[in-house]
Amino acid sequence: MNPAQLRQYLEFYRDLGITEILVGQASLPVLSESETLLNIRQDIGDCTRCRLHEGRTRIVFGSGNPEAKLVFVGEGPGADEDAQGLPFVGRAGQLLTQMIDGTAKKEGIPMTRADMYICNVVKCRPPENRTPLPDEMETCGQFLSRQLLAIRPKAICALGSTAAKALLNTKDGVMRLRGKWHKWRDIPVIVTYHPSYLLRAYNQDAKREAWEDMKKVLHYVYD
Ligand code: SF4
């Protein structure tokens, strides 16, 4: 295997949330959930199923713990995510990390972002960061559903109204949906603001509410 192939190989497994590979083992780690995520990633392949493939640099499949108790679902990749092939790595991603790690620490919950799984409704960056269109969400949404079924988390946190619409089949916005539990299949769902919305300085009330939502969902999966 040449260095370019090795890099591609390691990036592929990183996208599946596998961060350790034992050197010297005859084969890669085999986890049933990971195998299922692996199958999903293989099915996506070099996807051209919707028009969003035209402008993407990299598919952003998702990352984190394949056995996570909590899955965060965002809208779609932005510029940083598109460049790196990883979800929530830009400014909004840094805020999400602060929210998860900061709230967990304050509440005495021994969890960090690394314990979670994070993905988006669509896996390719929409042009100009526009909201994904309904047909794009429907086409790519099959992969999100399969990821959630593979992981079987104790709860899901929808970040923003696009994720809420995709998961809950609703037209209601975050303000109406947050603060109470919903369901995706039989898995409880909390809806909160997308971190990029919270980055706008005037959203102090939304920030406070988002921290409350985070507290609620972290306690639910940990307690
Ligand atoms: S957004 Fe999803 S369905 Fe569309 S091209 Fe990308 S991976 Fe395929």
Side-chain angles (χ1 to χ4, degrees):
M1 187 182 290
N2 65 38
Q5 285 171 321
L6 178 62
R7 181 187 160 87
Q8 201 176 23
Y9 183 82
L10 292 172
E11 285 178 351
F12 178 71
Y13 279 89
R14 182 198 62 187
D15 286 354
L16 296 173
I18 295 170
T19 55
E20 285 185 20
I21 292 176
L22 298 177
V23 177
Q25 297 290 305
S27 57
L28 285 162
V30 177
L31 300 171
S32 58
E33 291 86 354
S34 298
E35 277 186 320
T36 308
L37 285 175
L38 173 64
N39 291 340
I40 301 161
R41 183 63 189 87
Q42 284 174 331
D43 270 3
I44 291 178
D46 194 19
C47 187
T48 57
R49 291 173 180 85
C50 84
R51 69 184 74 76
L52 292 182
H53 81 277
E54 291 164 10
R56 75 159 180 251
T57 308
R58 299 187 58 179
I59 288 174
V60 181
F61 178 66
S63 72
N65 178 1
E67 298 179 51
K69 289 184 178 167
L70 177 58
V71 174
F72 289 89
V73 179
E75 180 175 307
D80 294 316
E81 291 75 18
D82 178 63
Q84 296 186 43
L86 289 168
F88 284 92
V89 289
R91 280 182 68 224
Q94 286 161 21
L95 178 58
L96 179 63
T97 306
Q98 280 173 25
M99 289 171 68
I100 297 169
D101 294 2
T103 308
K105 193 170 175 194
K106 203 166 158 198
E107 295 297 308
I109 297 170
M111 295 177 109
T112 67
R113 173 172 165 161
D115 297 303
M116 320 295 172
Y117 191 86
I118 302 179
C119 57
N120 286 303
V121 176
V122 294
K123 313 299 186 206
C124 301
R125 183 190 181 195
E128 317 290 324
N129 290 340
R130 67 158 167 76
T131 304
L133 300 174
D135 64 319
E136 295 159 355
M137 286 169 59
E138 195 177 327
T139 305
C140 208
Q142 60 171 307
F143 301 121
L144 172 63
S145 298
R146 289 169 61 190
Q147 283 171 297
L148 294 172
L149 289 172
I151 298 167
R152 299 281 325 159
K154 194 169 170 188
I156 298 166
C157 182
L159 300 167
S161 59
T162 300
K165 276 177 193 146
L167 291 167
L168 305 175
N169 197 22
T170 176
K171 289 196 167 86
D172 287 344
V174 174
M175 278 188 239
R176 284 182 75 97
L177 295 168
R178 65 159 299 278
K180 46 190 179 259
W181 288 101
H182 307 271
K183 285 232 162 148
W184 179 82
R185 308 221 175 173
D186 59 343
I187 302 175
V189 176
I190 277 280
V191 177
T192 193
Y193 300 97
H194 193 285
S196 59
Y197 178 75
L198 300 175
L199 285 171
R200 293 172 217 166
Y202 53 84
N203 285 323
Q204 290 306 326
D205 284 349
K207 278 182 191 153
R208 186 181 42 74
E209 290 172 348
W211 252 273
E212 287 300 315
D213 297 334
M214 188 64 71
K215 202 159 86 176
K216 191 172 185 169
V217 76
L218 286 176
H219 274 294
Y220 178 80
V221 296
Y222 178 71
D223 291 350

